[in-house]
Amino acid sequence: MTKVYGLGEVEVHALRGITLAIERGDYVAIMGSSGSGKTTLMNIIGCLDMPTSGRYLLDGIDVRRFGDDQLSLIRNRKVGFVFQSYNLIPRTTALQNVELPLTYAGVPPRERLERARAALDGVGLADRADHEPSELSGGQQQRVAIARAMVGNPSLILADEPTGNLDSVSGDQIMEVVDRVNAEGRTVVLITHEEHVAARAKRVVRVADGLVVSDERRAPVAGAPPHLSGADTGIVEAAS
Amino acid sequence: MIGPEAIRIALQGLLANRLRSALTMLGILIGVGAVIMLVAVGNGSSAAVQQQIQSLGTNRITIMRNFGGFGSGGRRSTNGTQSRSSNLTAADVTALSDKSVAPDIKSVSPVANVQSVTASWQGATYSPSQFVGTVPSYFEAADYQIAAGRLFTSQDEQSHARVVDLGQTVVANLFGTANPLGQFVKFNSTSFQVIGVLKSKGTNGVQDQDDVVLAPLSAVQDTLTGYTGTYDQITVEAVSSGSMTSATNEITSILDGTHKITNAANADFRVLNQATLLAASTSTSSVFTTLLGAVAAISLLVGGIGVMNIMLVTVTERTREIGIRKAIGARKIDILSQFLVESVLLTMIGGLLGVGAGIVGSQFKVVGIQPVIATYSIPLAFGVAVAVGLFFGIYPANRAAKLRPIEALRYE
Ligand SMILES: Nc1ncnc2c1ncn2[C@@H]1O[C@H](COP(=O)(O)OP(=O)(O)OP(=O)(O)O)[C@@H](O)[C@H]1O
Ligand SMILES: [Mg+2]
């Protein structure tokens, strides 16, 4: 598929013809220099954007046939986003942020609260449930974002440079969580500039200038991600 | 999204910007409060006028001689004496009392007004502005009620009894705090016994209706006016306020007959109808009330524009938030309802406070008028406020709902 921005005078060819198939349960790291089209690709995979030409099939169905509201529903049920810039809603507590996808899914309040607490607990932030984003560190905000992405039990997790703004210790904590998400059987697509982060994935795809330049499998789709194949390090210990 | 969720999210949005929300609400508060208060002022002034007119007796029709009129024979009243045809006579009273011709007339009361009477009692003197000789049916027609003692009866009238009922102003001027009942008062040179004191009616806007003396017509003609066989006026009471028009028509056709009038323009009598006065004043005061309400409605509209302005700012400010919400699954309707509920909440809370302010404000006199809250104005003003919130909220909310998530997310 291709993606062209700014149709008209100045055209930007963000994707020039990418062909990619991602299997259920895979753990894919997408690498490439700045402006190579990684975020553009991820937005299309997450149904936030549409390719200019070509097709994108999600679970075998061409997403073009869906309307805006159906796409919202798909993002709500099947996709969990972790953005490069956290994108939490300001002046809203961590718990409420995590609850939000469930609210839009129509989950009743009591169940919503339980699941949101469990998700926060899963990223080791149970004690920060009532803090607003402005009262949390970058790493904590990113973990809240992961909890929010996870809370609806989506089958596909998309993370755009989740460690990009973090120091290596916080980054490792985040990646532990992402590893475990994949170990639970969810498909993970991860954008990163860092080799040691990409090393955690089962497959590394490199893009340059809107094209795939290499596609390397490092571990089988089935089974645990490379860093977790040994003993399972619990996130709670890792966070403390 | 289900109702309570939308409200919770909208409330969060409002609380995030407390001062701004409060100021926007203030605009609506002032608008709603002004509508309620100004309509109450208009209403209060019309209520005051209506009460004055009502105190004259609503079913009352007054027939007066028309001094400028011509009789059937073209004989004009000359040198101060009335021509025969321009007098109201006992024959007129008899004709009007005929139920078969005038079914809408309940009672007919001939009235003699005595001019310049001076009353005196134990050295105190007072000149009442009205001294009326009439028959008992006049009490009901003119809405006089007794406060102490009794009203004179038709027996008093038949026996030419020299008795009077006094209005409160006359009592106060003549007796002070003394009890007037049973006392004999001299009117000019004739003694009348006080048998009753009338209930106060207040002013009708022109004259003090308590500055009055009522006595049997027969006794008045015996002593003060002399028997002329004519009356100054005839007061007619209609069967009900609904039959005022037909009663008026009956009077006109009967008197046209007895006075031999062929052309209404030449009639030597006038028929005054309190209901027509009432209708005239009601229509002027409703114009007044509508004007006041319209002025207030404009301020409500201005408040509404304030709401729209703030909602547009809010939507722009929160573009990124809208993008996030859409990215995690909010549909168009979720975003639309979030912002619409926000603007309706603004106007609803502002409207409620405005209703409170309007009610409180209406407790105080404004330029001498005691406002009377029109019950319809409260739901109306509140309803309009909520409608304003919906109307002015829909454009910003729709703008928010239509944002494309990918662009909203990129918004800085
Ligand atoms: N909305 C847009 N309008 C115009 N051009 C755009 C738009 N979004 C992205 N682009 C362009 O498309 C190209 C790819 O952008 P993209 O965001 O996918 O890069 P990226 O690989 O994610 O870069 P980075 O690593 O810096 O995040 C860039 O040249 C960018 O300028
Ligand atoms: Mg990017």
Side-chain angles (χ1 to χ4, degrees):
Chain A
M1 56 199 177
T2 68
K3 180 74 190 179
V4 183
Y5 286 114
L7 286 170
E9 292 151 34
V10 194
E11 289 189 358
V12 179
H13 293 262
L15 301 181
R16 295 175 185 274
I18 283 195
T19 305
L20 200 63
I22 297 174
E23 277 177 77
R24 199 180 285 270
D26 207 347
Y27 189 168
V28 184
I30 296 178
M31 300 191 73
S33 58
S34 188
S36 54
K38 306 183 295 295
T39 300
T40 305
L41 180 61
M42 192 194 92
N43 286 340
I44 292 173
I45 294 174
C47 294
L48 269 175
D49 211 348
M50 289 282 169
T52 309
S53 69
R55 293 190 307 160
Y56 168 50
L57 306 184
L58 178 63
D59 284 344
I61 302 166
D62 190 343
V63 296
R64 273 179 194 285
R65 65 165 69 166
F66 297 121
D68 284 353
D69 282 350
Q70 278 170 309
L71 289 173
S72 282
L73 198 71
I74 290 171
R75 289 195 294 268
N76 188 247
R77 303 292 158 85
K78 290 192 178 175
V79 184
F81 282 101
V82 180
F83 298 98
Q84 183 169 4
S85 46
Y86 319 139
N87 274 344
L88 298 178
I89 293 178
R91 294 188 220 87
T92 305
T93 64
L95 188 66
Q96 284 169 335
N97 262 292
V98 176
E99 246 189 304
L100 214 50
L102 300 178
T103 306
Y104 290 124
V107 176
R110 189 181 293 267
E111 183 190 339
R112 209 159 67 204
L113 212 65
E114 274 171 22
R115 284 171 62 179
R117 279 192 194 287
L120 269 182
D121 202 27
V123 296
L125 280 179
D127 55 334
R128 297 294 161 92
D130 296 325
H131 289 231
E132 293 180 3
S134 58
E135 301 162 348
L136 296 171
S137 74
Q140 288 167 334
Q141 288 188 56
Q142 194 63 294
R143 278 191 273 161
V144 173
I146 292 176
R148 184 178 66 185
M150 297 288 304
V151 75
N153 274 325
S155 45
L156 174 62
I157 300 284
L158 302 173
D160 193 352
E161 297 185 41
T163 60
N165 296 332
L166 305 177
D167 63 78
S168 62
V169 178
S170 315
D172 283 346
Q173 287 174 8
I174 297 294
M175 289 316 298
E176 301 280 355
V177 180
V178 176
D179 281 357
R180 292 202 316 143
V181 166
N182 178 247
E184 285 166 13
R186 296 177 219 278
T187 313
V188 173
V189 177
L190 174 84
I191 294 174
T192 185
H193 286 295
E194 296 160 279
E195 284 297 343
H196 74 274
V197 172
R200 292 171 174 262
K202 297 170 181 169
R203 176 182 173 192
V204 178
V205 175
R206 288 176 204 275
V207 292
D209 225 4
L211 288 170
V212 176
V213 291
S214 83
D215 188 347
E216 174 190 354
R217 177 154 300 284
R218 297 183 173 176
V221 175
H227 272 242
L228 269 190
S229 37
D232 186 2
T233 34
I235 184 64
V236 181
E237 287 93 66
S240 52
Chain B
M1 195 190 332
I2 29 174
E5 283 312 324
I7 292 174
R8 195 178 56 87
I9 291 179
L11 267 179
Q12 260 177 23
L14 291 182
L15 288 177
N17 264 307
R18 277 160 229 259
L19 181 63
R20 187 200 282 176
S21 304
L23 288 175
T24 314
M25 279 176 199
L26 190 64
I28 295 294
L29 184 157
I30 291 172
V32 169
V35 167
I36 292 175
M37 237 185 97
L38 290 188
V39 169
V41 168
N43 214 27
S45 78
S46 83
V49 172
Q50 283 187 15
Q51 202 189 2
Q52 286 167 358
I53 294 174
Q54 227 131 36
S55 68
L56 300 170
T58 33
N59 297 354
R60 175 186 187 180
I61 301 168
T62 305
I63 306 162
M64 301 181 86
R65 290 180 296 180
N66 196 354
F67 293 104
F70 290 86
S72 57
R75 281 172 294 168
R76 190 168 184 181
S77 57
T78 49
N79 60 11
T81 50
Q82 307 290 314
S83 66
R84 209 191 78 83
S85 62
S86 67
N87 279 334
L88 298 168
T89 64
D92 292 331
V93 173
T94 314
L96 291 170
S97 307
D98 186 347
K99 283 269 183 284
S100 63
V101 195
D104 293 302
I105 292 178
K106 188 173 176 189
S107 72
V108 182
S109 318
V111 171
N113 288 317
V114 191
Q115 308 299 323
S116 49
V117 177
T118 305
S120 58
W121 178 76
Q122 295 191 352
T125 62
Y126 180 69
S127 296
S129 62
Q130 268 186 291
F131 190 109
V132 176
T134 186
V135 297
S137 57
Y138 181 78
F139 294 126
E140 191 185 321
D143 196 26
Y144 281 110
Q145 284 167 342
I146 194 74
R150 66 176 179 87
L151 295 169
F152 68 78
T153 62
S154 34
Q155 207 172 359
D156 294 323
E157 213 275 325
Q158 274 152 24
S159 63
H160 296 234
R162 295 180 184 180
V163 293
V164 286
D165 289 296
L166 302 182
Q168 305 265 354
T169 306
V170 182
V171 171
N173 281 292
L174 223 44
F175 294 93
T177 54
N179 181 6
L181 291 180
Q183 300 295 325
F184 287 88
V185 178
K186 268 206 162 134
F187 291 95
N188 293 350
S189 56
T190 315
S191 257
F192 283 76
Q193 187 179 22
V194 180
I195 57 167
V197 176
L198 299 168
K199 258 192 199 158
S200 175
K201 282 176 66 174
T203 172
N204 64 8
V206 182
Q207 61 181 177
D208 177 7
Q209 298 180 100
D210 297 323
D211 193 6
V212 68
V213 178
L214 300 178
L217 179 63
S218 53
V220 169
Q221 287 176 328
D222 286 351
T223 59
L224 293 162
T225 60
Y227 183 77
T228 58
T230 65
Y231 311 117
D232 298 307
Q233 66 181 58
I234 297 174
T235 296
V236 171
E237 187 185 6
V239 176
S240 68
S241 52
S243 53
M244 290 296 282
T245 319
S246 35
T248 306
N249 292 340
E250 285 159 15
I251 292 167
T252 312
S253 73
I254 289 169
L255 293 188
D256 278 352
T258 53
H259 290 216
K260 302 191 175 59
I261 309 288
T262 47
N263 182 351
N266 291 338
D268 60 353
F269 60 89
R270 281 186 296 158
V271 182
L272 297 182
N273 176 337
Q274 306 300 349
T276 51
L277 275 179
L278 197 63
S281 91
T282 308
S283 71
T284 45
S285 65
S286 78
V287 167
F288 180 55
T289 306
T290 309
L291 255 170
L292 284 179
V295 169
I298 289 172
S299 77
L300 191 51
L301 189 75
V302 171
I305 293 170
V307 169
M308 180 153 165
N309 190 14
I310 283 305
M311 289 313 296
L312 282 173
V313 170
T314 302
V315 167
T316 308
E317 250 184 20
R318 285 154 68 185
T319 300
R320 204 180 166 86
E321 174 191 325
I322 295 164
I324 299 170
R325 287 180 185 275
K326 284 198 153 183
I328 62 176
R331 289 159 302 163
K332 273 203 183 93
I333 184 81
D334 295 324
I335 302 295
L336 186 84
S337 60
Q338 174 186 344
F339 286 96
L340 208 51
V341 167
E342 215 170 276
S343 77
V344 170
L345 269 182
L346 270 179
T347 56
M348 228 158 85
I349 298 171
L352 273 180
L353 295 174
V355 167
I359 291 175
V360 170
S362 301
Q363 307 306 313
F364 303 101
K365 274 198 174 182
V366 182
V367 288
I369 295 167
Q370 178 63 54
V372 176
I373 292 176
T375 22
Y376 73 83
S377 72
I378 292 177
L380 184 76
F382 183 69
V384 168
V386 174
V388 157
L390 265 177
F391 181 79
F392 287 107
I394 212 136
Y395 175 72
N398 199 37
R399 207 156 127 160
K402 279 200 316 213
L403 283 174
R404 306 227 305 114
I406 190 75
E407 277 147 27
L409 272 174
R410 202 174 280 126
Y411 184 86
E412 289 303 329

